[in-house]
Amino acid sequence: MLSKLYKPAGRAELLATHQAIIPFIHRTPVLTCQSIDDLLGAQYFFKCENFQKIGAFKMRGGASAALRLSESERAKGLATHSSGNHAQAVASSARAMGVPAYIVMPVDAPKVKVAAVRGYGAEITFCPNTPEDRQAELDKVVDRTEAAFIHPFDDYGVIAGQATAAMELIEQVDVKLDAIMCPVGGGGLLAGTALASHYFSPQTRVIAGEPEQVDDAYRSFHSGQVERNIDNRTVADGLRTTLSNRTLGIIREHVDDIWLVSEAEIVEAMRIIWERMKIIIEPSCAVPLAAAFKHKEALSGQRIGIILTGGNVDVNKLPF
Amino acid sequence: MLSKLYKPAGRAELLATHQAIIPFIHRTPVLTCQSIDDLLGAQYFFKCENFQKIGAFKMRGGASAALRLSESERAKGLATHSSGNHAQAVASSARAMGVPAYIVMPVDAPKVKVAAVRGYGAEITFCPNTPEDRQAELDKVVDRTEAAFIHPFDDYGVIAGQATAAMELIEQVDVKLDAIMCPVGGGGLLAGTALASHYFSPQTRVIAGEPEQVDDAYRSFHSGQVERNIDNRTVADGLRTTLSNRTLGIIREHVDDIWLVSEAEIVEAMRIIWERMKIIIEPSCAVPLAAAFKHKEALSGQRIGIILTGGNVDVNKLPF
């Protein structure tokens, strides 16, 4: 059994986390693409978490957090509020572990996402789409069921789970990576990636991509405190959240840089991955490649790993 | 050097073909998908030729045919008429072999396909979009350049190249396959797949999927002569061609069955592959999975290989 974490996972804890979640995740493939390498004049390795169970890396963090509960805690079920991939990760983890899941979703959540969560057998409660309403509804659910709340990113157990994507990438690529890139929203994946690099490939820099429209992580990274977004309109709908003190602490310590990209750059990078790699990724997932295009010269001739975070997109509502 | 073929390739010739084309192709991965297995109650192995160079299996046949020319023949260049994946395969093979390519394309060919062929450095000649005009224009090009015409399927060298997709699939899957499925248009891939199965996995049945709208191969398979289509309107635009005597001969000898599917069934299977597997395939490519859904009971509990033929689709013009 994994232990509860009150500080960022160390090397041994990360290895134990990976071992523990193996039954709940896919070891996703790392793909390369000659034509993208030619466009960028560098060598890219894409860790395909769009092929992960539930279609996104979030499965790793969900399973990692759920496995840190005691058996009696877990038996009461897992709860969260989310309209996105984290909801599916929690619902799917609960089903795999044979315990109930309680998911609070906004009334206007996309039908396809509601159906996916329901498909994993979760009980769904709908609420108005404001942070306050979500939290209030979740509190009611937790009061009633005594289920354990699994936060999408503000949790060292979740962060340790997300770290395993970069750990696998480092293992799967038989060259030394000069940098690993991923997107940043709440910072769970970025913090985990930074820990993985720190312990398992310390010469590898970690660089995040973030939409200009929601540049809170960029500003937080430079100011040292959690900054908010005034607006959150971006095509990269998975990256609208702000950091927490936990994720910011790890990011400030171990991340090398955060690069901003425009909406048009995100959509163009998404199209390039669709057309050149023939794989389906969601807009949030294209952000690091967009950043790589923008900083082509800085990365020229290098070996870069990119974590492709997810592929859950409504194919009837594409941004191009 | 590979020799010219005046009859279907045997076992040794297929192995030699695979060795010879290795520098020109990717060994594409074989993916599995738990949720499709659950839907179908069987175990599926998808050979991802959508990840092949130029985005389709056609690269195999193009390289195989080009390598069968003498050095002096090849030096004069490769020619073909096509608006689809075969044009890119010939253009890309020519570039890789350092010889010119001459491609005849209809004036109304999609711009993206014209740009792709031009991107490989081929000389393009446009003509009206009728079979007669294409052939007449190609004859003029060949007269002028003395380039070698590479037919998209009516050529034992091309068929031997297409066989290598199934050869790799048989090698990559560590279980015995009960059946291998692929689509049928001109029959090059189906004939090659049937030869591969015959020589390297003789207990494996070979079953093709074909659109009802262009059911010429189905009718030819049963009548024993090359049948025509009255209409060729199908979303599976790669499958509009009819068989040739060469492909029909091999198909009649070694293929077990051809199953027809409706347009709606093709689009639904395409959507399932996009949504569940997170990979991009073109409509023609979805036809065998559509046939597998239609004949779910017949395949229940079996191990089935499916050749996913290509991923070249205009993401702005999707059928769903």
Side-chain angles (χ1 to χ4, degrees), chain A residues 285-297:
Chain A
C285 186
V287 169
L289 187 68
F293 269 100
K294 194 158 191 168
H295 294 263
K296 183 178 163 177
E297 270 68 44

Side-chain angles (χ1 to χ4, degrees), chain B residues 1-21 24 60-74 78 97 148 150 155-164:
Chain B
M1 202 186 103
L2 297 172
S3 51
K4 287 185 189 171
L5 293 179
Y6 300 98
K7 61 188 175 71
R11 185 189 173 90
E13 187 65 37
L14 291 175
L15 289 169
T17 301
H18 191 225
Q19 279 306 308
I21 67 172
F24 303 99
R60 298 174 182 271
S64 166
L67 289 172
R68 288 187 155 78
L69 301 169
S70 72
E71 223 168 289
S72 61
E73 286 170 329
R74 196 160 54 234
L78 313 179
M97 295 171 191
I150 298 190
D155 176 323
Y156 290 125
V158 169
I159 294 168
Q162 318 305 28
T164 62

Side-chain angles (χ1 to χ4, degrees), chain A residues 120-135:
Chain A
Y120 294 116
E123 180 187 309
I124 301 173
T125 312
F126 293 99
C127 71
N129 192 1
T130 74
E132 297 72 25
D133 285 305
R134 285 182 181 212
Q135 191 58 52

Side-chain angles (χ1 to χ4, degrees), chain B residues 138-214:
Chain B
L138 180 76
D139 290 345
K140 277 197 274 178
V141 168
V142 168
D143 277 351
R144 171 169 62 81
T145 62
E146 297 186 7
F149 170 44
I150 298 190
H151 192 279
F153 58 86
D154 190 25
D155 176 323
Y156 290 125
V158 169
I159 294 168
Q162 318 305 28
T164 62
M167 287 165 64
E168 288 180 11
L169 170 63
I170 290 164
E171 233 179 70
Q172 288 167 298
V173 172
D174 53 5
V175 298
K176 196 87 202 150
L177 292 172
D178 295 298
I180 299 181
M181 302 182 72
C182 71
V184 56
L189 177 68
L190 178 56
T193 301
L195 291 177
S197 167
H198 177 67
Y199 288 111
F200 302 103
S201 188
Q203 301 102 309
T204 302
R205 285 170 300 143
V206 173
I207 300 167
E210 188 179 34
E212 284 170 2
Q213 294 287 103
V214 290

Side-chain angles (χ1 to χ4, degrees), chain A residues 29 31 50-51 55 271 274-275 277-280 311-313 315-316 318 320, chain B residues 29 31 50-51 55 271 274-275 277-280 311-313 315-316 318 320:
Chain A
L31 297 183
N50 53 331
F51 297 162
R271 177 196 281 280
W274 280 51
E275 291 186 345
M277 297 185 68
K278 312 294 182 193
I279 61 175
I280 291 175
N312 291 328
V313 63
V315 299
N316 291 116
L318 300 176
F320 39 65
Chain B
L31 297 183
N50 53 331
F51 296 162
R271 177 196 281 278
W274 280 51
E275 292 187 346
M277 298 187 67
K278 311 295 182 192
I279 61 175
I280 291 175
N312 293 327
V313 63
V315 298
N316 292 116
L318 299 177
F320 38 67

Side-chain angles (χ1 to χ4, degrees), chain A residues 73-141:
Chain A
E73 287 171 329
R74 195 159 55 234
K76 291 176 180 155
L78 313 180
T80 200
H81 55 71
S82 160
S83 60
N85 293 331
H86 179 63
Q88 290 186 57
V90 170
S92 173
S93 296
R95 188 175 66 167
M97 296 171 191
V99 301
Y102 306 96
I103 313 290
V104 174
M105 301 185 84
V107 284
D108 55 357
K111 274 188 189 139
V112 54
K113 301 216 165 177
V114 176
V117 169
R118 189 165 282 140
Y120 294 116
E123 180 187 309
I124 301 173
T125 312
F126 293 99
C127 71
N129 192 1
T130 74
E132 297 72 25
D133 285 305
R134 285 182 181 212
Q135 191 58 52
E137 195 58 46
L138 181 75
D139 290 345
K140 277 198 274 178
V141 167

